[in-house]
Structures are given as C-alpha cells and as structure tokens.
Amino acid sequence: MGRSKMHPIPIIRTEERDSGPWPLISEDTDGEPRRVHPDVTSHRVAHTKANGKRVRRDKLDVPDPFGDGVMCLIDRNGSYPSACSAVLLAPNKLLLTGPLNAFDKTQAGIYLIDIPQWNHPDMPHLLGRIIDRPDDQGRVWVTTPHIKQLEKLVREGHLDAIPAIHESWTGKANESLFKPFYAAARQACTELVQTAGDPYKAYKTRLPIALRLLWPKRPEQRSPFWRPDWRMSMVAEASVRHWTVAFKAAQEGHKLIALHNVDAAIFWTPEGMPPRHIPDRASFGEVKAKLVQRGESIPEGDD
C-alpha cells in the first residue's frame, strides 16, 4: 500500500463507518453462487482423508434419468488471491455519484441496480445470493466486478440490457492495487507446495485470514485495514470468474448439477469427457477438472 502511486486509504475512521456507503455493504454483496440442481439431492457425509482425519463432505445423489456418466468437479487453484491480480476497485474514499446513465469504466465502487431477468435455467443467476435480499423496490447493491460482467453478458447477447443504476458511490478506479499481494501469494504457493508439510499448511491457513482482515469484524482483530468495499470487490471478482467458467462449460452442453461458492462447480458428463477447455491439473490461479464417480463424496481442498 505504501508503494502505491494511488495513495490508497486503507482504513475508514470508526466515526465515519455508520454513514455514507459503508452501511450499504454486506457479506451478501460478494455474489457467491450457491445452487444445487432441483432433481439432485445434496447432503453431508463422513469422509476419511488420506492422513486418517475424519471430516464431513458433500455427497450428491444423481437420479437415474440423468443417464450414465460421472460427476466432473472443476475448481480454481487459489481463487481468492488470484482474483487480486486484476480486481477493479477505488483505492480512495467512495463519494456519492448518484444515478448513472451508464457505467463509467474510470470509476469503481458500489451500485444500486434492478435485478436483471435471467432466462437460462441451466445456470443460476450471475448475481448469486445478492438477489436473495432485495430492498422494498426490488433493487440490490453490487460492486464493480458484477457491473462489468453484466455489461459483458449484454454484449454477448445473454442479457437484453444493462440494468438501470439508481444510485452509486464511486471513486477513481484502479485494478493493480492488490497485484503485488497476488504475485507474492503465487510465488509462496509455488515454493511451499514443493516443500509441503507444515509450511504449506501454514500458508493455506494464513492466506484467507489475511484477505478477511481487509474487513475485520471484531475489535480484537487488529488490522491496518477497514475497507469492506475492497474485501467484497475481491470476493465478487472471484465469484464472477468462477461463474463464467461454469457458464462456458454449460454452453458446451455439460449439465450443471451444483455450483458451490467460488471454489467448485460440479457437472454431470459422459465418462472421460470433461469440459474441453479445462485441464486435469492447474497451477496457481488456473482451473482444473477432476472426475468423481457416482456415489462418491465431493473432494475439497487437499483431499
């Protein structure tokens, strides 16, 4: 932050947090997609990891009418930190910019919009859980990554028009503020995955904690940051990237049976035919595919 030419403001003073844009930002603003196909049953089951540890994992019961096939799990390696490579946000304070006739690409922040109609039943709504809590007029607050993606879907013909922006709080946009953090996280991952053991486990544990401290929730959490707009924009960027990969696979004809947060999408596919644009292994920030047999639990993390 100290090296940035944007002179970012990493912390909003306590006395300012109950006014302006800050009460408008919630955890739901991340837009994380959460959906299980209505004909598929999901439940938690006991699972024993390779090291003997007992955990709980999701199990999806796929009905016989789906035909022969396997579950294809796709996920991104380091989804949250890789989203930091180019997330568009405002390094300085957000200012009230009111209703907008169009999205200004030089600005970033939060926007109050109508929920766009989504007419693709094979995919959940792009805005994920944002749409579950509209205001009295059916409008929701979103961050810049979702506005950018809505514009892209309009250009590609999947949406008729960008929804109206009824209110906005924005600042001058920048997409490189977190890039040094992304580069450091990627280098650490590359080095520590070879070392494995406790150093790699510590890295996996500390990384999400560091990102959550962009918006500390408890007084005892000492942090040099308090920027909920940065935190939610970063998670929204990861959500958008995850949703986009899943949508591309669905367009290829693969049947989406579950979309979990920003880490995993599960498709029902003929055995040996995963989505053609996704490899079976990936480096930091890339997407990989894994085939899971019918009746097996869904692996997570380093299972």
Side-chain angles (χ1 to χ4, degrees):
M1 294 296 166
R3 293 193 302 267
S4 174
K5 296 180 181 179
M6 296 294 293
H7 305 294
I9 299 173
I11 189 164
I12 302 301
R13 292 184 299 180
T14 305
E15 59 268 25
E16 298 178 13
R17 297 177 186 178
D18 293 330
S19 61
W22 313 115
L24 304 173
I25 302 170
S26 72
E27 291 286 354
D28 295 322
T29 318
D30 57 19
E32 286 189 342
R34 298 176 183 179
R35 186 228 194 198
V36 175
H37 192 287
D39 296 329
V40 173
T41 303
S42 174
H43 51 97
R44 301 288 279 178
V45 297
H47 172 76
T48 304
K49 300 175 67 171
N51 61 6
K53 184 178 180 180
R54 298 277 290 178
V55 294
R56 304 285 289 178
R57 292 289 179 257
D58 285 333
K59 183 173 178 291
L60 300 174
D61 294 332
V62 182
D64 292 338
F66 277 57
D68 295 332
V70 295
M71 290 177 285
C72 177
L73 166 69
I74 63 174
D75 69 345
R76 188 181 299 275
N77 184 8
S79 57
Y80 286 118
S82 66
C84 294
S85 62
V87 56
L88 198 65
L89 46 77
N92 302 112
K93 286 186 180 181
L94 302 182
L95 301 177
L96 181 62
T97 42
L100 301 175
N101 293 326
F103 169 55
D104 183 351
K105 295 179 175 60
T106 68
Q107 303 290 301
I110 62 172
Y111 307 83
L112 181 63
I113 64 171
D114 295 318
I115 298 175
Q117 186 71 32
W118 182 247
N119 298 316
H120 296 264
D122 54 336
M123 278 293 295
H125 201 286
L126 165 71
L127 298 183
R129 63 175 184 164
I130 292 176
I131 66 175
D132 295 336
R133 295 185 178 181
D135 66 11
D136 294 340
Q137 300 181 57
R139 304 174 304 187
V140 292
W141 285 96
V142 300
T143 55
T144 313
H146 278 108
I147 290 288
K148 287 178 60 182
Q149 182 68 352
L150 288 170
E151 281 204 325
K152 180 181 178 182
L153 291 172
V154 171
R155 290 196 304 270
E156 294 177 349
H158 302 298
L159 287 177
D160 293 333
I162 189 79
I165 299 176
H166 300 284
E167 193 70 282
S168 63
W169 290 80
T170 63
K172 188 174 181 180
N174 174 272
E175 67 176 12
S176 62
L177 187 64
F178 289 164
K179 198 165 187 177
F181 175 82
Y182 157 76
R186 179 170 184 158
Q187 181 179 351
C189 180
T190 302
E191 295 173 355
L192 293 174
V193 74
Q194 301 297 328
T195 307
D198 291 339
Y200 182 65
K201 291 179 182 177
Y203 162 83
K204 293 273 285 185
T205 300
R206 297 300 300 176
L207 191 63
I209 292 175
L211 292 171
R212 285 197 297 271
L213 287 178
L214 288 172
W215 186 11
K217 299 297 184 64
R218 298 188 299 273
E220 62 269 23
Q221 288 180 309
R222 298 181 62 84
S223 172
F225 302 100
W226 195 90
R227 285 299 297 257
D229 55 324
W230 291 0
R231 165 66 181 170
M232 289 298 100
S233 292
M234 180 271 295
V235 182
E237 177 69 20
S239 297
V240 165
R241 294 183 183 194
H242 177 49
W243 185 94
T244 300
V245 172
F247 187 38
K248 186 174 182 180
Q251 288 177 294
E252 291 179 5
H254 297 274
K255 184 185 290 293
L256 180 69
I257 58 175
L259 196 57
H260 292 170
N261 298 340
V262 299
D263 289 322
I266 301 111
F267 292 85
W268 187 251
T269 185
E271 190 163 3
M273 293 180 61
R276 61 177 180 268
H277 65 289
I278 301 174
D280 59 0
R281 60 181 59 195
S283 60
F284 185 84
E286 297 178 338
V287 178
K288 62 183 181 297
K290 178 181 178 63
L291 298 181
V292 182
Q293 296 297 321
R294 197 181 216 142
E296 292 182 1
S297 60
I298 305 300
E300 294 181 13
D302 56 355
D303 284 355

